[in-house]
Amino acid sequence: MSSRRSRQLSSGASRITDDQIIQLISKLQQLLPGTRIQRSNKSSASKVLQETCSYVRSLHQEVDDLSDRLSQLLSTIDANSPEASIVRSLII
């Protein structure tokens, strides 16, 4: 274990063990879509973290794209129309 990891972050913080890190990486890997990391293969922690970062970035991009599409949709419909009512009920 590195000295950096073995140091406490503050007086009240507890240390995380290598086993806990392995468990957390494993849980994180399970959250990733199967097409990104083959679950049958043991992946390195750095690979799991890289793939996680990539996946989170793609999710952010998807949210941005959907937000843009929603804004475009809302700008094309009458605010008092039944369609606008439906859209508002979905996003509230």
Side-chain angles (χ1 to χ4, degrees):
M1 184 182 316
S2 74
S3 62
R4 201 173 8 160
R5 224 185 297 154
S6 65
R7 281 186 249 144
Q8 291 184 347
L9 298 175
S10 68
S11 60
S14 62
R15 291 186 290 189
I16 187 166
T17 66
D18 286 346
D19 287 341
Q20 289 172 317
I21 291 172
I22 291 167
Q23 288 176 351
L24 291 170
I25 293 294
S26 177
K27 287 178 183 179
L28 187 58
Q29 186 176 9
Q30 291 172 11
L31 295 173
L32 294 173
T35 56
R36 291 184 133 353
I37 294 180
Q38 297 296 326
R39 289 194 179 105
S40 60
N41 297 338
K42 288 286 183 182
S43 297
S44 70
S46 67
K47 181 71 173 168
V48 172
L49 293 172
Q50 289 170 351
E51 290 294 325
T52 300
C53 290
S54 176
Y55 183 57
V56 169
R57 277 195 288 285
S58 73
L59 290 175
H60 276 284
Q61 185 60 51
E62 189 172 345
V63 167
D64 289 344
D65 292 346
L66 290 171
S67 179
D68 290 343
R69 288 175 54 195
L70 180 58
S71 293
Q72 290 172 356
L73 174 65
L74 290 174
S75 69
T76 63
I77 59 177
D78 177 23
N80 297 319
S81 71
E83 293 88 1
S85 242
I86 292 169
V87 171
R88 277 194 301 275
S89 73
L90 292 172
I91 59 175
I92 295 177

